[in-house]
Amino acid sequence: PPCLPDELVLQVPAWVLLEGDTVTLRCRRSGDKTVTSVFFYREEEELGGPRNGTELSLSPVQLHDSGRYHCGGWLDSGLSRKWEESEPVTVTVHSENPQSYN
């Protein structure tokens, strides 16, 4: 049987960031279903939720913000409601003062 596409996708505009940058994570739904009560996670730690919106802004990012992020939420489709989670996305934050290259 063909693989079904992921129900939820965590969109990150940049996977490599510098300290002090701002990044907005978006939890998007494939298809026409509505996603409600969105939660965001770094590693397995909940970053707050549920949110009415599907975005989480990190500003300013710090070195400790590096890690694997994913989102989860309830998908409503007609009479059914189910919990889905996105695949993890790795975000790396570098120091503003990188070591000199030799």
Side-chain angles (χ1 to χ4, degrees), residues 18 94-101:
L18 287 176
H94 292 290
S95 170
E96 286 185 275
N97 303 312
Q99 299 296 320
S100 59
Y101 296 103

Side-chain angles (χ1 to χ4, degrees), residues 10-11 23-28 38 40 48 51-58:
L10 180 62
Q11 294 182 325
V23 66
T24 300
L25 310 179
R26 290 181 177 84
C27 195
R28 299 296 297 271
V38 173
F40 289 89
R51 296 177 174 274
N52 291 330
T54 58
E55 297 183 356
L56 173 67
S57 288
L58 302 176

Side-chain angles (χ1 to χ4, degrees), residues 48-83:
R51 296 177 174 274
N52 291 330
T54 58
E55 297 183 356
L56 173 67
S57 288
L58 302 176
S59 174
V61 296
Q62 305 294 325
L63 290 176
H64 68 261
D65 290 318
S66 294
R68 287 161 55 93
Y69 287 80
H70 75 278
C71 63
W74 290 100
L75 301 184
D76 294 315
S77 175
L79 301 176
S80 65
R81 186 170 195 245
K82 66 177 181 172
W83 175 260

Side-chain angles (χ1 to χ4, degrees), residues 10-54:
L10 180 62
Q11 294 182 325
V12 181
W15 295 354
V16 179
L17 303 163
L18 287 176
E19 275 186 301
D21 283 350
T22 296
V23 66
T24 300
L25 310 179
R26 290 181 177 84
C27 195
R28 299 296 297 271
R29 166 70 184 98
S30 58
D32 59 357
K33 293 179 184 170
T34 301
V35 58
T36 59
S37 301
V38 173
F39 291 80
F40 289 89
Y41 303 88
R42 182 179 64 241
E43 302 305 334
E44 296 303 317
E45 177 189 349
E46 188 178 300
L47 296 177
R51 296 177 174 274
N52 291 330
T54 58

